[in-house]
Amino acid sequence: MIKELEEMLKELEEKKQNQEAFKIKRKQIIEEYKSKLTPYHRVQLARHEKRPKAKDFIENIVSEPMFFHGDKLFSDDRSIVGGVGYLGHVPITFIGTNKGKTLEENVEYNFGMPKPEGYRKALRLMKQAEKFNRPIITFIDTPGAYPGIDAEERGQGEAIAINILEMSRLEVPIISVFTGEGGSGGALALSVANKIIMMENSIFSILSPEGFATILWKDGTLYEKATEVMKLTAKDLYDYKIADRVIEEDISFSMKGFQENFARLKEEIIKELESLRKKSPARLVKERQNKYRKIGGGY
Amino acid sequence: MIKELEEMLKELEEKKQNQEAFKIKRKQIIEEYKSKLTPYHRVQLARHEKRPKAKDFIENIVSEPMFFHGDKLFSDDRSIVGGVGYLGHVPITFIGTNKGKTLEENVEYNFGMPKPEGYRKALRLMKQAEKFNRPIITFIDTPGAYPGIDAEERGQGEAIAINILEMSRLEVPIISVFTGEGGSGGALALSVANKIIMMENSIFSILSPEGFATILWKDGTLYEKATEVMKLTAKDLYDYKIADRVIEEDISFSMKGFQENFARLKEEIIKELESLRKKSPARLVKERQNKYRKIGGGY
Amino acid sequence: MEENIRDGRPIISIIKKLRRFKKDFKRMNAPEGLFERCNGCGDLVPKNKIGERFYTCPECDYHFNISSGDRMNMLLDEYKVINRTYKFINPIDFPGYKAKYKENRKKSGLREGILTVEGYLNGIKLVAVALDNRFFMGSMGSYIGEEITRAFEYAGKRDLPILIFSTSGGARMQEGIFSLMQMAKTSIAVERYGETKNLYISCMTNPTTGGVTASFASLGDIMLAEPGALIGFAGARVIKETIKGELPEDFQRAEFLKEKGFLDEIVHRKDMKEYIYKLLKLHGYRSCKG
Amino acid sequence: MEENIRDGRPIISIIKKLRRFKKDFKRMNAPEGLFERCNGCGDLVPKNKIGERFYTCPECDYHFNISSGDRMNMLLDEYKVINRTYKFINPIDFPGYKAKYKENRKKSGLREGILTVEGYLNGIKLVAVALDNRFFMGSMGSYIGEEITRAFEYAGKRDLPILIFSTSGGARMQEGIFSLMQMAKTSIAVERYGETKNLYISCMTNPTTGGVTASFASLGDIMLAEPGALIGFAGARVIKETIKGELPEDFQRAEFLKEKGFLDEIVHRKDMKEYIYKLLKLHGYRSCKG
Ligand SMILES: [Zn+2]
Ligand SMILES: [Zn+2]
């Protein structure tokens, strides 16, 4: 699907004569292509192996990042990266779920699926941020929490629940950015935020479309159908007022396109951060808690 | 050694005629015996398999005890017992290190040597106590923290350090009772308290006498000599102002003797608790921290 | 997750089977409806005996699923239902949700999978909530999320302890992201209630899984469970697929969770009332009735 | 515990040994004192090269033990020694302690196993502490406990960051219970300092064990270590006796600890100054010198 667009753009480049006309034509092609994207396509884009991963987002948006390790309890879960750096001139703590671009990387990062120690590592870093009054930015790209024996043994459910509760009362600004796949409780456990920003082709869903189809229709192969009814695109989430901002994406899968996306996102985060940093700790907590209090409350 | 005393008392009982005279004579024998106890004897008494264990102390001093389990992180360490109950009419949280009286029990309780999850379980229960404004009573009888691969892997040193720090700032009264062996950092991790009460024949030491002899003289069999120089008896600790109270013990190893010891201890705890409960949270923390600030500060 | 319902344990020896066969033969010829098959030991056991024992098996202590109403009747001296401002909402316009909903209501006789009451336990006033897995397997959608949130708010405002009996297949798929958000909403309700320093006792019953395990149900000041209850986040099927292997026999059972450090205690249903009563008293709640 | 000193790793292949033998032969015939045996790879390496590389091996990056003074010189632009109100105390009247003490002072040229300074790192003012294992193996007695406590108090009062480089055999046996109590005293000093919201960076160096690991050294806001450093609570010998078996090769090494989640980062000595500088800046500390 992406291939198709890539070929169109390549063809265009070969025929290019005048820079301005090329730019306009290129934009036109991309826009047209975008208009045809179904939720299913967006899921594919969100999961695309060439799409920048959370760590790419961090390294392109956060200056001078220093990565810290470990939960101080059991292990250093490689599926979670976190540390400190600057956003503009503001010191921040960042957390990201780590997907790989190759099979090897993915094995190392457990395909971006954290275990309880990953959530506890994130929480440790967030509490450190609170102590030093640093805003927290989380970058979400995860199929969900790891479903395995060891993860269950060490309290996957409990770890997610505690993260949600603790994030809700942190006295610093929290911004969550959905960069790719935002799956299930595993994504929620890192995104209880004052502001939720979604990349145009990121998703946020109750479960993977495959899992959804399996549970409801006892047939995982119906996942394309699932994407059509799940309402999991950034636009859906924005319409439901769960996402606060959607960042337009250049989807040409070129370095230039990625850089533009990073720049747009960075600008938006800095803007949001500026307004959040003016608020008192008590107000930050109250607003964050109220944001979730309202969701699904029409009874 | 205890056998000797037991035989003397048995003999006395067989010859007994007049109740009052018997009582006096019995007391005399015990006192005389006590006066001959060396630190080495006291170590043996502290470790004696027939001596009541922390759980016996808890069950005889705390009314309606309910035992809770687990650290909510990794495991339920059986070498630590903890829960809630009443002291007089005051709801309290109790924590104890659990030694067994038989080999089987000792294997189950890991000979009273906690792993990191044990210290974290204790800390969890202590924080629960703080939330509900319950005083904390700890009962210490441990050779020390477990020296094993798994314990090191899960951060034995870190777990002890965190417990010390966190206990020092809990905003409720803390009383620690040394019932038997108080070994090393593993005992300290549960005894950062406002008041330290030691049973007359309990000990509190930097390390087991065996370990001490091994380190200093490269010969663990010199442990008797070690007991002579380590200053580890309740009386030593009281003289150093580390222990605040020493509870006199009947050392006849009879049920009646044990009951008397429990009663004396209970009375003392209730008295201390009464005065601690009158203090503000801030004062409790300050006094507890200052107690340790002074130790070894003559420079 | 809804599929995550797995009852009983599969290993029964041949001798046991034969013995049961004999007993069954007799009992199957008894008047209809007097016996029920136990999911624990597989025996046919007299219904009246089960009832007497708080719906647990006289042979093996298996805890049968009970309704939210039975739960309240078992525990409370008296109670009134609260939080009943109810209407049907289909937040993501999910095809067929309304029909499925009607079907569940008809089948279960319930309006939703939750019952919230204010009542008395041995005279101590409290708020009690029970999920009910006869309705959409107790899955948490917006309605349940809202009702639980309100229950915490109600209890917090009145300085009452709160007691929640969970049983759930997880999040309600048909409400999509809105169901997921109830995990945040209810967990934050626990946080706010916690600020009032009142006591929240959470008891997990068979089965409690998915989004309910990963939110309010895991956040009790005291964490209890009924014996044998299946408790977990991920479903057994998903885990088996992921690890491509079998699961240990007691995997995700209450006893397993206690050993792993996530439960304060496992309490038999017959002792539940007394156990909770002791906890309430210890936390300073007093009987306010004659 | 003092005995817990274990240097280097034993497994060296025969080929490596042969190659080393050749090199050694040449170097042993060189002018005396120009080469030093590396505990990491076993090579004889030129002393001046080691010095240039912050006392690390040019062949294998093994980090040699360095003195507290060298540590400060390596990191700081300038500094003054603080907390030097010193006298000898034998708190439990331990036989022979005084003589042993004198011997240690003579051998090491130090007054105690700790150096505390106020200084500047790239212009940023801070308090820095280094333990020194040439004196009683860096074991913590009352003096060290008191000095560390005062260092935290000094830094807290002046809103300065604090930096501690630990190396220790554990608690000082000769001071008995008083040494043990320094674990509480120093940990409480960390707690009080933490209330000022200033930054405490703890760096564990080879070896850090026993009571130091189980107190202030594990309580840094940021936990660092040097490569290959032995870090643990219980001594290797005790553990071997307890489990009656061998220990894994990388057991209690910094790399092992990082994998197990107890270190934020392992930092090569040559990068240490820059790494700490970045941390200080990020935490809002600014250069106060031209
Ligand atoms: Zn049965
Ligand atoms: Zn080397």
Side-chain angles (χ1 to χ4, degrees):
Chain A
M1 179 208 45
I2 292 299
K3 275 233 148 59
E4 197 186 319
L5 176 63
E6 277 179 311
E7 270 158 33
M8 281 195 289
L9 292 174
K10 201 175 152 197
E11 207 178 307
L12 180 69
E13 188 130 16
E14 279 160 6
K15 290 189 296 190
K16 118 170 143 185
Q17 293 166 345
N18 147 325
Q19 189 62 23
E20 205 49 41
F22 168 74
K23 261 192 182 167
I24 291 166
K25 183 69 187 163
R26 184 177 179 280
K27 197 171 174 195
Q28 210 177 0
I29 289 177
I30 292 176
E31 285 306 315
E32 200 194 317
Y33 187 83
K34 260 196 198 178
S35 72
K36 284 188 283 181
L37 290 176
T38 63
Y40 175 64
H41 291 139
R42 293 196 192 268
V43 171
Q44 287 186 300
L45 277 171
R47 292 174 172 177
H48 201 284
E49 62 175 33
K50 286 191 199 159
R51 187 179 178 85
K53 302 304 168 198
K55 210 173 164 194
D56 300 310
F57 275 85
I58 289 166
E59 283 169 345
N60 279 281
I61 286 174
V62 178
S63 332
E64 297 185 54
M66 301 174 86
F67 291 86
F68 295 153
H69 299 87
D71 61 351
K72 302 257 171 98
L73 291 166
F74 181 78
S75 175
D76 181 39
D77 188 332
R78 303 290 311 276
S79 70
I80 297 267
V81 291
V84 295
Y86 299 88
L87 228 156
H89 294 286
V90 180
I92 56 125
T93 283
F94 61 82
I95 314 275
T97 48
N98 211 7
K99 268 193 199 174
K101 286 179 183 170
T102 61
L103 182 63
E104 266 174 355
E105 278 181 12
N106 261 323
V107 168
E108 190 181 339
Y109 305 148
N110 203 28
F111 296 83
M113 294 186 287
K115 296 182 181 180
E117 47 270 29
Y119 297 111
R120 291 175 187 140
K121 169 182 176 179
L123 183 57
R124 174 181 87 79
L125 294 174
M126 291 193 273
K127 290 205 165 185
Q128 193 190 72
E130 187 183 40
K131 175 171 179 182
F132 294 107
N133 200 24
R134 276 194 293 272
I136 297 163
I137 323 283
T138 67
F139 297 86
I140 317 283
D141 183 15
T142 176
Y146 182 64
I149 293 179
D150 56 341
E152 293 290 315
E153 278 183 357
R154 292 195 291 278
Q156 192 68 286
E158 197 269 354
I160 292 172
I162 288 283
N163 264 32
I164 295 171
L165 185 148
E166 292 287 350
M167 281 188 86
S168 85
R169 66 177 170 203
L170 288 174
E171 297 190 332
V172 290
I174 307 177
I175 297 174
S176 289
V177 181
F178 284 72
T179 67
E181 201 178 358
S184 184
L188 182 62
L190 300 168
S191 68
V192 178
N194 291 87
K195 294 287 172 187
I196 290 179
I197 301 177
M198 292 185 77
M199 296 304 292
E200 188 181 352
N201 293 305
S202 69
I203 59 171
F204 188 10
S205 60
I206 186 171
L207 197 58
S208 70
E210 292 83 349
F212 189 90
T214 306
I215 287 182
L216 274 190
W217 307 315
K218 315 289 171 221
D219 184 355
T221 62
L222 295 175
Y223 60 89
E224 183 166 353
K225 183 183 160 198
T227 60
E228 284 158 22
V229 293
M230 285 176 76
K231 307 283 171 63
L232 44 60
T233 69
K235 187 178 176 312
D236 292 324
L237 275 285
Y238 183 76
D239 290 345
Y240 292 144
K241 298 193 169 123
I242 290 170
D244 298 282
R245 294 280 176 278
V246 176
I247 305 296
E248 201 196 323
E249 281 186 38
D250 177 307
I251 53 165
S252 66
F253 273 70
S254 63
M255 191 48 68
K256 184 171 156 296
F258 293 148
Q259 295 297 349
E260 281 177 25
N261 297 343
F262 293 144
R264 265 193 296 274
L265 172 60
K266 184 171 179 174
E267 195 183 332
E268 192 62 39
I269 299 178
I270 288 177
K271 215 165 71 189
E272 291 289 359
L273 207 51
E274 222 165 86
S275 90
L276 288 175
R277 286 179 69 223
K278 289 182 191 134
K279 298 180 180 182
S280 72
R283 184 148 170 227
L284 286 169
V285 171
K286 200 173 170 192
E287 283 183 7
R288 194 181 316 126
Q289 294 192 342
N290 286 345
K291 174 183 166 75
Y292 292 89
R293 176 64 188 89
K294 286 180 220 148
I295 300 174
Y299 298 94
Chain B
M1 177 207 49
I2 291 300
K3 276 231 147 59
E4 197 186 319
L5 176 64
E6 275 178 315
E7 269 158 32
M8 283 195 288
L9 292 176
K10 206 178 148 195
E11 208 176 307
L12 178 70
E13 188 131 17
E14 278 160 8
K15 291 190 292 190
K16 119 171 140 182
Q17 293 165 347
N18 150 323
Q19 187 65 24
E20 206 49 40
F22 167 74
K23 262 193 181 166
I24 291 165
K25 182 72 185 156
R26 183 178 180 279
K27 200 174 172 190
Q28 211 176 359
I29 290 177
I30 293 177
E31 285 307 315
E32 199 193 320
Y33 186 83
K34 260 197 199 177
S35 71
K36 286 188 282 184
L37 290 176
T38 65
Y40 176 65
H41 291 140
R42 293 197 192 268
V43 171
Q44 288 187 302
L45 278 172
R47 292 173 173 179
H48 201 284
E49 61 175 32
K50 284 192 202 157
R51 188 180 176 82
K53 303 304 168 197
K55 212 174 162 193
D56 299 312
F57 276 85
I58 289 165
E59 282 169 346
N60 279 284
I61 286 173
V62 178
S63 334
E64 296 185 54
M66 300 172 87
F67 292 85
F68 295 152
H69 300 86
D71 61 351
K72 301 259 171 99
L73 291 166
F74 182 77
S75 176
D76 180 39
D77 189 330
R78 302 291 309 278
S79 70
I80 297 267
V81 290
V84 294
Y86 297 88
L87 227 155
H89 293 288
V90 180
I92 56 125
T93 283
F94 61 84
I95 314 275
T97 48
N98 210 7
K99 268 194 197 172
K101 287 180 183 170
T102 63
L103 183 63
E104 265 174 357
E105 277 181 12
N106 260 323
V107 168
E108 191 182 338
Y109 305 147
N110 202 28
F111 295 84
M113 293 186 287
K115 297 183 180 178
E117 47 270 28
Y119 297 111
R120 292 176 186 138
K121 169 181 173 177
L123 183 57
R124 175 181 86 79
L125 293 175
M126 291 193 272
K127 290 207 164 185
Q128 194 190 70
E130 186 182 40
K131 174 171 178 183
F132 294 107
N133 199 26
R134 277 194 294 270
I136 296 162
I137 322 283
T138 68
F139 296 87
I140 317 283
D141 183 16
T142 175
Y146 181 66
I149 293 179
D150 56 341
E152 293 289 315
E153 279 183 357
R154 291 195 291 279
Q156 192 69 286
E158 197 269 355
I160 292 171
I162 288 283
N163 264 32
I164 295 172
L165 185 148
E166 292 287 350
M167 280 187 86
S168 87
R169 68 177 168 201
L170 288 175
E171 299 189 331
V172 289
I174 306 177
I175 296 173
S176 287
V177 181
F178 284 71
T179 67
E181 200 177 1
S184 184
L188 183 62
L190 300 168
S191 68
V192 178
N194 291 87
K195 295 288 172 189
I196 290 179
I197 300 176
M198 292 185 76
M199 296 305 294
E200 188 181 352
N201 293 305
S202 70
I203 59 171
F204 188 11
S205 60
I206 186 170
L207 196 58
S208 70
E210 292 84 349
F212 189 90
T214 306
I215 287 183
L216 275 190
W217 307 314
K218 316 287 172 222
D219 184 355
T221 63
L222 295 175
Y223 60 88
E224 183 165 353
K225 183 181 160 200
T227 60
E228 284 157 22
V229 292
M230 285 177 76
K231 307 283 171 63
L232 45 57
T233 69
K235 188 179 175 312
D236 293 324
L237 275 286
Y238 183 76
D239 289 344
Y240 292 144
K241 297 192 170 122
I242 290 169
D244 298 282
R245 294 279 177 279
V246 176
I247 305 297
E248 200 197 324
E249 282 186 37
D250 177 305
I251 54 165
S252 65
F253 273 71
S254 63
M255 191 46 68
K256 187 172 154 295
F258 294 148
Q259 295 298 348
E260 280 177 25
N261 297 344
F262 293 143
R264 266 193 295 275
L265 173 60
K266 184 171 178 174
E267 196 183 333
E268 194 61 40
I269 299 177
I270 287 177
K271 215 165 68 190
E272 291 288 0
L273 206 54
E274 222 166 85
S275 92
L276 288 175
R277 286 179 70 223
K278 288 181 193 136
K279 298 181 179 180
S280 71
R283 183 146 173 230
L284 286 168
V285 171
K286 201 174 170 190
E287 284 184 7
R288 194 181 316 127
Q289 294 192 342
N290 286 345
K291 174 182 165 77
Y292 293 89
R293 176 65 188 87
K294 286 180 222 147
I295 300 174
Y299 298 94
Chain C
M1 319 288 146
E2 290 185 16
E3 99 280 21
N4 193 0
I5 313 289
R6 207 181 60 164
D7 272 321
R9 297 170 203 184
I11 297 168
I12 299 161
S13 76
I14 293 173
I15 298 165
K16 242 178 150 182
K17 265 191 192 160
L18 275 173
R19 200 181 302 148
R20 193 209 308 161
F21 181 77
K22 272 205 223 154
K23 220 191 309 182
D24 278 13
F25 187 78
K26 268 193 359 215
R27 291 185 170 175
M28 300 234 314
N29 291 318
E32 212 182 312
L34 284 182
F35 292 89
E36 188 161 341
R37 174 82 61 198
C38 169
N39 289 322
C41 59
D43 273 13
L44 271 178
V45 282
K47 270 194 180 168
N48 62 333
K49 272 214 178 169
I50 297 173
E52 277 165 27
R53 300 182 85 252
F54 299 89
Y55 304 98
T56 62
C57 172
E59 305 288 332
C60 74
D61 269 339
Y62 176 82
H63 281 50
F64 287 86
N65 279 330
I66 57 172
S67 71
S68 45
D70 283 345
R71 176 73 66 185
M72 299 304 178
N73 292 331
M74 214 171 265
L75 282 172
L76 304 181
D77 322 336
E78 54 175 294
Y79 60 86
K80 65 168 194 225
V81 175
I82 54 176
N83 283 2
R84 280 275 128 182
T85 53
Y86 175 79
K87 69 184 182 207
F88 171 74
I89 295 174
N90 187 350
I92 64 166
D93 294 318
F94 194 79
Y97 184 31
K98 186 155 196 176
K100 190 96 194 276
Y101 209 89
K102 276 190 178 155
E103 192 191 311
N104 266 279
R105 293 183 59 175
K106 211 167 172 183
K107 224 175 50 192
S108 66
L110 299 169
R111 298 192 71 169
E112 250 287 2
I114 186 169
L115 176 63
T116 305
V117 309
E118 178 180 6
Y120 297 88
L121 190 153
N122 288 350
I124 296 177
K125 198 171 180 179
L126 50 67
V127 170
V129 180
L131 298 191
D132 198 315
N133 62 19
R134 293 172 300 164
F135 192 87
F136 269 103
M137 290 177 175
S139 63
M140 174 164 68
S142 301
Y143 181 76
I144 288 186
E146 179 72 18
E147 184 153 323
I148 283 172
T149 303
R150 287 195 202 170
F152 278 107
E153 289 167 352
Y154 186 99
K157 230 172 269 168
R158 290 163 181 78
D159 266 336
L160 297 177
I162 189 167
L163 196 57
I164 302 192
F165 290 86
S166 300
T167 175
S168 176
R172 184 155 319 156
M173 290 299 137
Q174 292 85 349
E175 297 190 18
I177 197 73
F178 286 89
S179 290
L180 189 71
M181 289 298 144
Q182 302 313 307
M183 290 170 64
K185 190 160 93 180
T186 56
S187 298
I188 293 170
V190 176
E191 198 283 323
R192 288 186 176 183
Y193 176 77
E195 299 289 331
T196 72
K197 305 286 178 196
N198 281 293
L199 178 69
Y200 164 28
I201 302 173
S202 172
C203 179
M204 318 271 242
T205 73
N206 187 46
T208 302
T209 61
V212 166
T213 297
S215 63
F216 69 90
S218 281
L219 296 170
D221 294 305
I222 311 283
M223 294 294 308
L224 307 178
E226 288 190 336
L230 176 83
I231 302 163
F233 176 62
R237 190 191 48 74
V238 179
I239 298 174
K240 269 192 233 169
E241 263 173 35
T242 308
I243 64 166
K244 301 193 187 355
E246 284 308 299
L247 302 175
E249 206 199 326
D250 67 344
F251 185 60
Q252 292 187 329
R253 294 285 160 191
E255 292 70 20
F256 171 93
L257 254 84
K258 184 179 166 192
E259 199 188 303
K260 294 298 173 190
F262 294 96
L263 292 175
D264 281 300
E265 195 53 282
I266 295 171
V267 183
H268 194 289
R269 198 178 282 159
K270 71 177 160 46
D271 305 320
M272 192 61 82
K273 184 172 183 171
E274 186 57 25
Y275 193 91
I276 289 171
Y277 176 61
K278 277 179 71 179
L279 280 177
L280 293 173
K281 265 200 317 182
L282 187 122
H283 285 80
Y285 298 103
R286 294 281 165 262
S287 169
C288 45
K289 293 219 137 180
Chain D
M1 322 289 145
E2 290 183 15
E3 100 282 22
N4 193 0
I5 312 290
R6 207 181 59 165
D7 272 321
R9 297 173 202 180
I11 296 167
I12 298 162
S13 74
I14 293 173
I15 298 165
K16 242 180 150 182
K17 267 190 191 159
L18 276 172
R19 200 181 302 148
R20 193 208 308 161
F21 180 77
K22 274 204 223 156
K23 222 192 304 182
D24 278 12
F25 187 77
K26 269 194 358 215
R27 292 187 168 172
M28 298 223 330
N29 292 317
E32 211 182 312
L34 283 181
F35 292 90
E36 186 161 343
R37 177 80 63 199
C38 169
N39 289 323
C41 60
D43 271 15
L44 271 177
V45 282
K47 269 195 183 168
N48 62 334
K49 271 214 178 171
I50 297 173
E52 277 165 26
R53 300 183 85 255
F54 300 89
Y55 304 98
T56 62
C57 172
E59 306 288 332
C60 74
D61 269 338
Y62 176 81
H63 282 49
F64 288 85
N65 279 332
I66 58 174
S67 70
S68 46
D70 283 344
R71 175 74 65 185
M72 298 305 179
N73 293 331
M74 213 171 268
L75 282 172
L76 303 181
D77 322 336
E78 54 174 292
Y79 61 85
K80 65 167 194 227
V81 175
I82 53 175
N83 285 0
R84 281 275 128 181
T85 54
Y86 175 79
K87 68 183 182 210
F88 172 74
I89 295 173
N90 187 351
I92 64 167
D93 294 319
F94 193 79
Y97 184 31
K98 188 154 196 176
K100 190 95 196 277
Y101 208 89
K102 277 191 179 153
E103 191 192 313
N104 266 279
R105 292 182 60 173
K106 210 167 174 183
K107 223 175 51 190
S108 66
L110 299 170
R111 300 193 69 168
E112 251 286 2
I114 185 170
L115 176 63
T116 305
V117 310
E118 179 180 6
Y120 297 88
L121 189 153
N122 288 351
I124 296 176
K125 198 171 180 180
L126 51 67
V127 171
V129 180
L131 299 190
D132 198 315
N133 61 20
R134 293 172 301 165
F135 191 87
F136 269 102
M137 290 178 176
S139 63
M140 174 163 70
S142 300
Y143 181 76
I144 289 187
E146 180 71 18
E147 183 152 324
I148 283 172
T149 302
R150 287 196 203 169
F152 278 107
E153 288 168 353
Y154 186 99
K157 231 173 267 168
R158 290 163 180 79
D159 268 336
L160 297 176
I162 190 166
L163 197 55
I164 301 191
F165 289 86
S166 300
T167 175
S168 177
R172 182 151 323 154
M173 290 300 136
Q174 292 86 348
E175 297 190 19
I177 197 73
F178 286 89
S179 289
L180 189 72
M181 288 299 144
Q182 302 312 308
M183 290 169 64
K185 190 160 91 179
T186 56
S187 298
I188 292 170
V190 176
E191 198 283 323
R192 287 186 177 182
Y193 176 77
E195 299 289 331
T196 72
K197 306 286 176 195
N198 281 293
L199 179 69
Y200 165 29
I201 301 173
S202 172
C203 180
M204 318 272 243
T205 73
N206 187 46
T208 301
T209 60
V212 167
T213 297
S215 63
F216 69 89
S218 282
L219 296 172
D221 294 307
I222 311 283
M223 292 296 308
L224 307 178
E226 287 190 335
L230 177 82
I231 302 162
F233 177 62
R237 191 191 47 74
V238 179
I239 297 175
K240 269 192 234 167
E241 263 174 34
T242 308
I243 64 165
K244 300 190 184 1
E246 285 307 300
L247 301 175
E249 206 200 325
D250 66 344
F251 184 61
Q252 292 187 329
R253 294 285 160 190
E255 292 71 18
F256 170 93
L257 254 83
K258 184 179 165 192
E259 200 187 301
K260 294 300 174 190
F262 294 97
L263 292 174
D264 281 302
E265 195 54 281
I266 295 171
V267 183
H268 194 289
R269 199 178 281 159
K270 71 176 161 48
D271 306 321
M272 192 63 82
K273 184 171 184 171
E274 186 57 25
Y275 193 91
I276 289 171
Y277 177 59
K278 277 179 74 178
L279 280 178
L280 293 173
K281 264 199 319 180
L282 188 121
H283 285 80
Y285 298 103
R286 294 282 165 262
S287 169
C288 45
K289 293 219 136 181

